[in-house]
């Protein structure tokens, strides 16, 4: 497979649905096919009819007249089962393409026992019937956070109702509709007929907390967190996010980005309208959508009340197909002249869309075609976003050729290694250092040669610097050893001495043996290309290594036992001038919210009890960094809050402007955990205790959140001035485009809630018993308590249990 290039014709798939509040019922196959002809992918349908709503309202009216209180639940009337006039749904071939909506007029959060009880009955009846009909996707209106002038905190009883609904519809998925923030000022007005409007005032008056006067940026996320926690991170529970015209700060966007968002809902109010009265989205919304379309499972888009499906009343009418090819005046300022190619490509589209019957859909299809190409890392990691992988056991397992091939696809890493070897050879020559080989060649050894990419780079470096080397390759994998012999014969001109051995038991380079009596385990090529032990009377004369090259790093630097492996060979380095490449490496940590990973690990726990205690290699994608660098966080929050005035101007940008670029969150605050440094050793260490480590790291958090685990990265110094990094803060500067390593993830068995402005403290240990190496980790949360007199005291608010990978430790 070729290495990915920047040339990319990839285009994400936008699944677009259509919602109508007053849709004619039922939704028939002909209606669905007409929607398909207009380039919609799916339609919505209510589960019940206005007749059912009227029937329920009569029951509520009767119960209210009887003045039933919360201690008299038995007097609350029971809704009779659904009958034919109550629902437009029926099992059929098209149900899998319908999104079913639970009645929006219920209020599961109501403090009034009559309203909340009957709302739950409606929910359960509708869920049960939708499941019977074969509906796969059900949408529920989100919790109502405010009633009258009070904040009612009804999320727990809402969560309990959803938990029961999941058990009733055991095969369907439930999507809860949320706005991005809780805004008590702009909250939708309660319409007449909505059960919330009938909440009795005495129950609202019981609530102590008044409605706030400003938006709570994380209010709706807090409600969602309560619901999914009660539902134990169910894999069938998702978020349907209602997009506003102006997005909240990037911290809020990033929080929702980390959640399982399955649908983006847009109303006419989500769009701006340019001077040609065409619907367009502001730049920040386009960037947010672009970012979400990079996740492994992309969300659907639902256009709500943007107009009926054209052609239903007149099947013979000619309608336009929203294929995404729009004229400049549709998406921006028509005064900007298109290029000749654009003019030719849109000549027909301009006339065709003059009377576009689905302008909002056309714009979304245009946006789909304008998505930026994937980066090299995105192409390489496609399909691996948030996919948990167990770290390698390189000392106990012999890797297959395909595994080596994956690593070798990274040109950036090997370019950096080649630069490091070149610089080391150049310095050796320029400084006139003595070599360990009496013939004057610099002795270079590749420890853990694999299929030989580092050997190739070392030979290139030698030729480029015109410095002769005595090159040795050590590999324990007997299968890779055979391939190395073939490369030596066919590609390296038999210039490499290949040794099959564990590097920790190798005695080092040696002069040719005087005896011709040898015992071999395979063919020996001429010119000392393969080194085997001798049974002759003379012992070989060993000499030191001048430059030792290895690529033993794991996702957390030391998690694949690079320190232990190198401990067994570094005593062979020349004592004064010996060089190890890499010279040193440092592990880094930061706390993250990763609800999708937590849900995945929770589901695995049913058949693998060690899953919550096993660090996993994973391309961390749909996550939220909980601790942000102070300067970048403040700047981005300020820029985002001040972008509202710019949104109106941005709608006049030309159609030939650049594709939307994902707006990235503030820089994460990532701290070093520990380091390892390598150079000549006098002897092999007697034990491995010197490779144990412990650190305690403190992270300040600005916004409330949930810590699901720790993201781990590393930086390595190959040679002074030449470094590689997986640390998001330094990767672009040190090794941009490197794809060899995904981060490591240390999960928390129980998610840890963090209030606003808290301190999160991480304790992590690297442990060993002489047979294996494992990690232990623990996270604590502290808050600041203001005492009388103005003194501030740090108070422990909670902490998780100690995680330990001892059962799946890396064997030495």
């Amino acid at each position: 497979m070729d290495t990915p290039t920047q040339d990319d014709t990839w285009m994400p798939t936008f699944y677009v649905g259509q919602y109508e509040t007053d849709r004619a019922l039922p939704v028939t196959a002909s209606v669905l096919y007409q929607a398909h002809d207009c380039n919609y992918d799916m339609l919505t349908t209510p589960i019940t009819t206005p007749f059912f709503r009227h029937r329920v309202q009569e029951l509520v009216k009767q119960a209210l007249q009887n003045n039933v209180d919360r201690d008299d639940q038995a007097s609350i009337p029971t809704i009779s089962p659904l009958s034919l006039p109550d629902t437009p749904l029926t099992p059929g071939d098209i149900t899998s393409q319908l999104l079913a909506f639970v009645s929006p007029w219920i209020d599961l959060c109501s403090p009034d026992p009559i309203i909340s009880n009957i709302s739950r009955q409606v929910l359960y009846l509708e869920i049960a019937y939708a499941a019977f009909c074969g509906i796969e996707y059900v949408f529920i209106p989100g919790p109502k956070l405010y009633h009258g002038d009070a904040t009612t905190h009804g999320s727990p009883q809402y969560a309990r109702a959803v938990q029961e609904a999941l058990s009733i519809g055991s095969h369907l998925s439930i999507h809860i509709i949320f706005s991005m923030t809780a805004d008590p000022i702009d909250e939708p007005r309660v319409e007449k007929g909505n059960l919330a409007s009938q909440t009795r005032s005495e129950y609202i008056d019981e609530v102590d907390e008044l409605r706030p006067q400003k938006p709570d940026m994380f209010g709706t996320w807090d409600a969602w967190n309560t619901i999914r926690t009660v539902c134990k991170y169910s894999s069938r529970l998702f978020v349907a996010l209602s997009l506003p015209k102006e997005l909240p700060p990037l911290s809020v966007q990033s929080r929702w980005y980390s959640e399982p968002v399955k649908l983006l809902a847009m109303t006419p109010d989500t769009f701006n309208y340019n001077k040609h009265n065409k619907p367009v989205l502001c730049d920040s919304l386009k960037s947010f959508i672009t970012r979400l379309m990079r996740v492994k499972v992309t969300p659907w888009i639902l256009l709500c009340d943007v107009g009926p499906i054209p052609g239903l009343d007149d099947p013979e009418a000619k309608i336009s197909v929203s294929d995404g090819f729009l004229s400049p005046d549709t998406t921006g300022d028509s005064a900007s002249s298109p290029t000749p190619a654009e003019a030719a490509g849109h000549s027909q589209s301009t006339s065709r869309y003059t009377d576009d019957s689905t302008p909002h859909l056309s714009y979304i299809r245009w946006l789909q075609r304008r998505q930026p190409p994937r980066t090299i890392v995105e192409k390489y990691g496609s399909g691996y976003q948030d996919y948990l992988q167990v770290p390698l056991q390189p000392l106990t397992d012999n890797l297959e050729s395909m595994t080596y091939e994956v690593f070798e696809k990274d040109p950036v890493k090997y370019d950096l290694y080649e630069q490091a070897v070149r610089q080391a050879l150049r310095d050796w020559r320029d400084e006139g250092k003595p070599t360990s080989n009496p013939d004057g060649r610099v002795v270079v050894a590749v420890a853990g040669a694999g299929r030989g990419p580092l050997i190739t780079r070392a030979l290139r470096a030698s030729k480029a610097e015109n410095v002769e080397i005595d090159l040795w390759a050590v590999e324990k994998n007997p299968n890779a050893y055979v391939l190395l012999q073939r490369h030596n014969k066919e590609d390296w001109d038999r210039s490499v001495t290949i040794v099959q051995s564990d590097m920790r038991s190798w005695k080092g380079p040696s002069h040719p043996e005087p005896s011709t009596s040898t015992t071999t385990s395979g063919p020996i090529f001429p010119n000392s290309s393969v080194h085997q032990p001798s049974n002759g009377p003379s012992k070989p004369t060993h000499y030191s290594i001048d430059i030792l090259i290895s690529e033993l790093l794991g996702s957390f630097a030391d998690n694949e036992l690079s320190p232990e492996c190198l401990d067994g060979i570094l005593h062979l380095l020349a004592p004064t001038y010996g060089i190890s490449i890499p010279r040193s490496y440092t592990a880094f940590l930061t706390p993250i919210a990763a609800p999708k990973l937590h849900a995945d690990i929770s589901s695995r726990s049913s058949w693998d009890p060690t899953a919550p205690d096993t660090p996993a290699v994973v391309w961390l994608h749909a996550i939220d960094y909980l601790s942000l660098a102070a300067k970048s966080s403040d700047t981005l929050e300020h820029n985002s809050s001040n972008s509202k005035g710019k949104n109106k101007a941005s709608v006049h940008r030309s159609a030939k402007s650049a594709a939307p670029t994902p707006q990235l969150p503030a820089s994460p605050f990532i701290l070093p955990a520990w380091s390892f440094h390598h150079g000549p050793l006098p002897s092999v260490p007697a034990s491995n205790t010197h490779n144990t480590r412990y650190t305690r790291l403190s992270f300040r958090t600005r916004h409330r959140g949930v810590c699901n685990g720790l993201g781990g990265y590393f930086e390595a110094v190959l040679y002074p001035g030449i470094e590689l990094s997986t640390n998001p803060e330094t990767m672009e500067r040190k090794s941009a485009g490197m794809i060899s390593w995904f981060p490591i993830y240390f999960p928390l068995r129980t998610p840890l809630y963090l209030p606003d402005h808290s301190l999160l403290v991480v304790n992590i240990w690297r442990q060993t018993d002489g047979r294996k190496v494992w990690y232990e980790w623990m996270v604590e949360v502290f808050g600041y308590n203001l005492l009388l007199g103005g003194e501030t005291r740090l108070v422990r608010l909670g902490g998780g249990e100690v995680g330990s990978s001892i059962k799946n430790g890396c064997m030495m």
Side-chain angles (χ1 to χ4, degrees):
M1 185 181 298
D2 295 333
T3 301
T5 63
Q6 195 64 36
D7 234 354
D8 194 10
T9 57
W10 168 85
M11 183 174 69
T13 302
F14 283 23
Y15 291 99
V16 185
Q18 191 252 19
Y19 172 92
E20 287 184 56
T21 301
D22 300 318
R23 189 188 302 283
L25 300 175
V27 178
T28 62
S30 60
V31 173
L32 182 64
Y33 298 151
Q34 182 68 19
H36 287 173
D37 288 342
C38 296
N39 216 3
Y40 282 112
D41 297 295
M42 50 205 166
L43 293 178
T44 65
T45 179
I47 299 174
T48 54
T49 63
F51 177 85
F52 176 73
R53 176 178 182 174
H54 177 73
R55 186 158 70 86
V56 171
Q57 287 173 336
E58 288 299 314
L59 280 176
V60 172
K61 182 179 179 180
Q62 176 186 346
L64 292 174
Q65 288 175 347
N66 295 335
N67 201 25
V68 176
D69 61 27
R70 63 167 52 95
D71 296 325
D72 189 17
Q73 295 284 320
S75 300
I76 297 178
T78 301
I79 304 174
S80 59
L82 298 179
S83 59
L84 185 60
D86 290 327
T87 178
L89 284 180
T90 186
D93 295 336
I94 68 168
T95 53
S96 63
Q97 299 176 61
L98 296 179
L99 310 180
F101 275 64
V102 167
S103 295
W105 40 267
I106 64 174
D107 183 9
L108 296 167
C109 287
S110 178
D112 191 319
I114 293 178
I115 304 301
S116 60
N117 185 296
I118 289 183
S119 294
R120 286 195 298 273
Q121 292 186 54
V122 171
L123 174 67
Y124 299 158
L125 282 172
E126 294 189 349
I127 290 289
Y129 187 72
F132 166 77
C133 291
I135 291 288
E136 298 179 29
Y137 313 104
V138 172
F139 292 77
I140 303 178
K144 185 173 175 56
L145 304 181
Y146 310 109
H147 291 79
D149 293 327
T151 302
T152 48
H153 298 293
S155 297
Q157 64 174 343
Y158 183 101
R160 178 63 188 84
V162 173
Q163 183 185 44
E164 181 66 22
L166 284 167
S167 64
I168 294 172
S170 57
H171 298 292
L172 53 75
S173 59
I174 291 179
H175 307 70
I176 303 177
I177 305 169
F178 285 99
S179 57
M180 294 189 74
T181 61
D183 191 342
I185 308 301
D186 293 339
E187 187 185 34
R189 182 176 56 87
V190 177
E191 298 179 357
K192 185 179 180 180
N194 191 306
L195 297 188
S197 65
Q198 302 182 53
T199 302
R200 288 170 288 181
S201 59
E202 58 264 32
Y203 289 100
I204 296 178
D205 294 340
E206 290 179 357
V207 181
D208 295 330
E209 187 175 345
L210 296 178
R211 177 192 289 252
Q213 297 303 308
K214 61 181 181 179
D216 181 354
M217 290 298 169
F218 291 89
T220 52
W221 174 84
D222 243 341
W224 157 249
N225 181 55
T226 298
I227 297 163
R228 58 99 174 276
T229 301
V230 169
C231 297
K232 299 179 180 178
Y233 283 75
S234 171
S235 60
R236 296 186 292 114
L237 187 63
F238 299 92
V239 170
L241 202 58
S242 179
L243 297 182
K245 180 176 294 186
E246 297 173 346
L247 286 176
L250 280 170
S251 56
V252 181
Q253 297 177 40
S254 294
R255 181 61 51 80
W256 285 117
Y257 173 77
S258 70
E259 300 294 349
V261 176
K262 192 64 175 290
L263 182 137
L264 302 174
M266 304 181 191
T267 68
D269 290 336
T270 306
F271 292 83
N272 289 295
Y273 294 86
N274 61 17
K275 63 184 180 181
H276 301 284
N277 202 31
K278 302 295 184 181
V280 292
L281 296 175
C282 66
D283 285 349
S284 60
L285 261 176
K286 288 190 291 185
S287 296
F288 183 62
I289 293 171
T290 294
R291 189 180 176 204
L292 281 169
M293 291 303 173
R294 255 52 182 178
V295 300
K296 188 174 183 179
V297 180
T298 58
W300 305 330
I301 293 175
L302 186 65
L303 297 177
C304 305
D305 293 322
V306 295
I309 298 170
L312 288 179
D313 297 331
D314 185 6
E316 301 299 324
K318 293 183 179 180
I319 59 172
S320 59
V321 177
S322 300
D323 54 13
F325 292 103
L326 299 181
S327 60
D329 66 335
T330 305
T331 58
D333 189 353
S334 61
S336 301
S337 301
T339 65
E342 289 173 328
H346 297 310
S347 59
Q348 295 181 352
S349 298
T350 302
S351 60
R352 196 171 35 162
Y353 285 103
T354 301
D355 297 319
D356 190 353
S357 52
T358 54
H360 298 82
L361 176 61
S362 297
Y363 180 82
I364 294 299
R365 293 302 183 194
W366 172 85
L367 186 62
Q368 177 182 0
R369 292 184 175 276
R370 301 288 293 183
Q371 292 302 291
R374 295 179 296 179
T375 64
I376 291 177
V377 175
E378 286 174 332
K379 296 173 199 173
Y380 175 82
S382 179
Y384 286 93
Q385 301 100 314
D386 301 311
Y387 177 74
L388 298 164
Q389 303 174 74
V390 178
L392 297 175
Q393 293 268 7
L395 295 184
T396 56
D397 300 334
N398 288 321
L399 304 182
E400 296 181 355
S401 181
M402 287 292 291
T403 304
Y404 288 117
E405 183 179 352
V406 171
F407 300 146
E408 294 168 12
K409 288 180 182 295
D410 188 348
V412 175
K413 174 180 70 175
Y414 292 111
D415 284 347
L416 290 170
Y417 263 96
E418 183 176 338
Q419 292 175 33
V421 177
R422 285 190 62 176
Q423 188 62 49
L425 291 174
R426 185 183 307 131
D427 291 345
W428 200 287
R429 177 194 63 206
D430 295 346
E431 296 172 15
K433 297 178 183 177
T435 64
S436 296
N437 193 324
D439 65 9
R441 290 182 296 165
V442 179
V443 183
V444 178
V446 177
R451 301 199 315 176
L454 285 180
I455 297 173
T456 300
R457 295 304 182 118
L459 292 171
R460 284 189 196 174
S462 170
K463 184 177 181 180
E465 294 300 325
N466 196 25
V467 176
E468 289 192 69
I469 62 174
D470 175 16
L471 185 55
W472 292 71
V474 185
E475 175 54 51
K476 76 174 183 63
N477 186 339
N479 305 309
Y481 171 69
V482 175
L483 182 60
L484 288 173
Q485 294 179 69
R486 188 170 303 282
H487 282 317
N488 200 25
K489 177 184 178 182
E490 299 177 355
D491 304 319
W492 301 327
D493 195 28
R494 296 172 178 163
S495 60
V496 185
T497 306
I498 304 171
V499 181
Q500 182 189 350
S501 172
D502 187 317
M503 68 182 74
R504 296 170 294 177
S505 59
W506 183 44
K507 298 187 184 304
S510 61
H511 291 299
E513 302 169 20
S515 173
T516 57
S517 173
T518 61
T519 301
T520 68
S521 60
I524 300 296
F525 296 113
N527 303 327
S528 301
S529 61
V530 180
H531 182 81
Q532 295 287 351
S534 169
N535 290 332
S538 301
K539 294 184 178 180
T541 302
H542 293 282
Y543 51 93
S544 298
I545 302 168
D546 296 324
I547 300 176
L548 176 66
I549 310 170
S550 63
E551 53 170 336
L552 307 170
L553 297 172
S555 294
F556 200 49
D558 55 79
N559 62 296
E560 293 183 10
L561 305 193
S562 177
E564 284 72 18
C565 291
L566 292 179
D567 276 351
I569 195 173
L570 285 173
H571 69 284
L572 301 178
L573 265 183
T576 305
Y577 301 108
I579 296 171
S580 172
I581 299 176
R583 171 172 289 196
S584 65
Y585 36 84
T586 303
F588 289 80
L589 283 172
T590 190
I592 60 174
K596 294 180 182 178
L597 294 180
H598 180 79
D600 191 0
I601 290 173
S602 297
S603 64
R604 293 185 182 205
S605 300
S606 59
W607 50 269
D608 180 11
T610 66
D613 291 319
T614 303
V617 173
V618 56
W619 183 19
L620 298 174
H621 203 71
I623 65 166
D624 185 25
Y625 294 110
L626 295 173
S627 183
L628 303 177
K631 289 184 179 179
S632 58
S633 174
D634 295 340
T635 301
L636 282 169
E637 293 291 338
H638 176 75
N639 290 345
S640 179
S641 63
N642 288 340
S643 65
K644 296 183 178 181
K646 299 179 182 179
N647 287 339
K648 295 180 180 179
S650 68
V651 304
H652 297 299
R653 295 180 63 189
S654 170
K656 64 176 189 289
S657 61
T661 302
Q663 208 170 357
L664 299 179
S667 298
F669 186 56
I670 302 175
L671 291 177
W674 50 63
S675 299
F676 289 88
H677 299 266
H678 298 300
L681 289 178
S683 62
V684 177
S687 71
N688 196 39
T689 55
H690 64 289
N691 284 326
T692 60
R693 294 288 190 275
Y694 166 71
T695 191
R696 179 181 173 90
L697 306 173
S698 297
F699 299 87
R700 293 186 182 275
T701 63
R702 180 176 178 181
H703 305 292
R704 76 197 79 160
V706 169
C707 181
N708 299 110
L710 307 171
Y713 311 90
F714 76 89
E715 294 179 8
V717 178
L718 298 180
Y719 192 77
I722 302 170
E723 302 180 40
L724 52 81
S725 171
T726 66
N727 182 344
E729 281 291 88
T730 59
M731 183 174 179
E732 283 302 308
R733 175 166 50 88
K734 295 184 176 183
S735 49
M738 189 175 66
I739 56 179
S740 284
W741 292 277
F742 290 150
I744 199 167
Y745 175 65
F746 294 91
L748 298 187
R749 186 176 288 272
T750 303
L752 201 56
Y753 186 83
L754 319 173
D756 291 324
H757 304 290
S758 56
L759 182 71
L760 190 146
V761 177
V762 174
N763 297 270
I764 186 167
W765 298 260
R766 188 181 196 265
Q767 304 278 54
T768 182
D769 60 4
R771 296 182 304 109
K772 61 184 175 182
V773 172
W774 70 94
Y775 298 96
E776 296 177 359
W777 59 97
M778 178 184 178
V779 180
E780 301 172 285
V781 181
F782 295 84
Y784 297 93
N785 195 2
L786 183 62
L787 305 178
L788 291 175
E791 180 186 355
T792 301
R793 178 176 297 173
L794 201 60
V795 180
R796 189 179 188 273
L797 303 179
E801 51 195 297
V802 176
S804 175
S805 62
I806 187 170
K807 293 183 178 179
N808 289 321
C810 201
M811 303 301 297
M812 296 172 58

